[in-house]
Amino acid sequence: MLVHPNNPLGDVYSPQLLTDLMGVCARHEVHFISDEIYALSIFTDEDEPSSRPPFHSVLSLPHPDPERTHVLWGLSKDFGLAGLRVGVVVSRCAELMACLRAVAIYKCTPHLVHHASAALLSDIAWCDDFYLRLNSERLGRTYRRARGRLEAMGARVREARAGLFVWFSIRDFMETDSAEEEMEIHAQLMRAGVYVVPGSKLYGADPGWIRLIFSVGEEELDEGLKRIESVLKKRRKKTA
């Protein structure tokens, strides 16, 4: 199971890496599932042009084992339409599709929602030429805004290429390298009126990482960052 683009890191994987991973799965007869829920939420960092590859869906690459290769997508992230409850599974596995069709009898998406989703995706002038382009520009702008403010506070920010979030380290504001202190800082941020996700809840390898969603209006983003800064300033004095 691969989350591509990655949540919470915002990474985009190269076609070569994807091909190599599919090759490993094919040799060992393991199913390869690519969750591409953020596939259309790609942006570029204009301040630091990245050498990282652009996004390539698994669907655009050769499949060494087509029967065991599956791709997931939905409207909830790229279009902010979680309430429509539309999910997509792309697979050539006849057995899997037969099972999904059987389950869909009881878990199907309403026909009106099907129609609305098809109309939205079929409107190339609005969807491709307007919405996706504007969404990418705005995500890139707010990402750079959030990243700049966090780095000015003294936080270390991981470069991202996609998604709605930024992954940053608060280890320089911690006295101990522990998940307990990470959760203590999370509680302080909550009391300051900011909801973020601590890295330990996202299975981070090391304590002291936080995921911040930046896909909001600039005024709201600035207020959230201001509250984060108020907490980190106090932590800076304490750790100093």
Side-chain angles (χ1 to χ4, degrees):
M1 169 69 88
L2 186 71
V3 181
H4 174 55
N6 185 277
N7 175 13
L9 303 181
D11 277 352
V12 171
Y13 301 117
S14 69
Q16 186 60 56
L17 177 58
L18 296 171
T19 300
D20 291 345
L21 290 172
M22 285 191 283
V24 170
C25 290
R27 287 197 298 274
H28 296 279
E29 298 185 346
V30 173
H31 286 265
F32 182 90
I33 304 171
S34 180
D35 182 349
E36 301 184 358
I37 193 72
Y38 295 101
L40 302 179
S41 298
I42 310 295
F43 54 86
T44 57
D45 188 345
E46 295 173 354
D47 297 334
E48 293 183 19
S50 175
S51 59
R52 296 184 184 182
F55 175 78
H56 286 81
S57 170
V58 166
L59 295 174
S60 69
L61 303 173
H63 298 165
D65 187 355
E67 291 291 309
R68 294 188 179 89
T69 303
H70 322 283
V71 174
L72 312 180
W73 185 74
L75 293 171
S76 60
K77 307 301 182 184
D78 289 332
F79 289 90
L81 294 174
L84 285 187
R85 315 306 297 166
V86 176
V88 177
V89 179
V90 181
S91 175
R92 300 181 191 178
C93 178
E95 187 177 2
L96 171 63
M97 297 307 295
C99 292
L100 291 176
R101 288 191 184 97
V103 173
I105 295 174
Y106 304 100
K107 298 288 185 181
C108 62
T109 304
H111 290 297
L112 286 175
V113 174
H114 278 180
H115 178 75
S117 302
L120 182 151
L121 296 173
S122 299
D123 188 345
I124 303 299
W126 180 85
C127 184
D128 292 33
D129 300 335
F130 173 72
Y131 172 76
L132 293 179
R133 177 187 56 79
L134 184 60
N135 189 50
S136 176
E137 291 175 0
R138 288 180 174 177
L139 286 175
R141 185 166 64 247
T142 51
Y143 161 74
R144 291 189 292 274
R145 192 183 190 94
R147 178 178 178 176
R149 285 285 301 278
L150 289 167
E151 289 178 338
M153 298 175 203
R156 287 175 288 165
V157 181
R158 198 177 192 281
E159 182 187 357
R161 290 288 312 283
L164 317 177
F165 32 76
V166 63
W167 185 243
F168 70 98
S169 172
I170 53 169
R171 297 183 74 176
D172 291 340
F173 300 90
M174 297 170 63
E175 294 181 317
T176 61
D177 190 15
S178 67
E180 289 75 18
E181 188 173 7
E182 178 191 278
M183 292 306 299
E184 176 188 329
I185 295 175
H186 175 258
Q188 291 173 351
L189 290 169
M190 288 285 285
R191 287 194 293 271
V194 180
Y195 178 75
V196 293
V197 181
S200 58
K201 299 304 180 183
L202 295 172
Y203 306 99
D206 301 304
W209 289 88
I210 286 179
R211 190 192 75 166
L212 168 70
I213 298 208
F214 59 76
S215 55
V216 295
E218 291 183 354
E219 184 177 344
E220 186 177 355
L221 177 63
D222 287 343
E223 179 62 29
L225 291 167
K226 179 181 176 182
R227 296 180 185 187
I228 291 173
E229 186 174 19
S230 69
V231 171
L232 295 186
K233 273 186 175 179
K234 294 176 182 176
R235 300 288 310 182
R236 175 71 78 186
K237 292 178 181 178
K238 185 177 180 182
T239 53

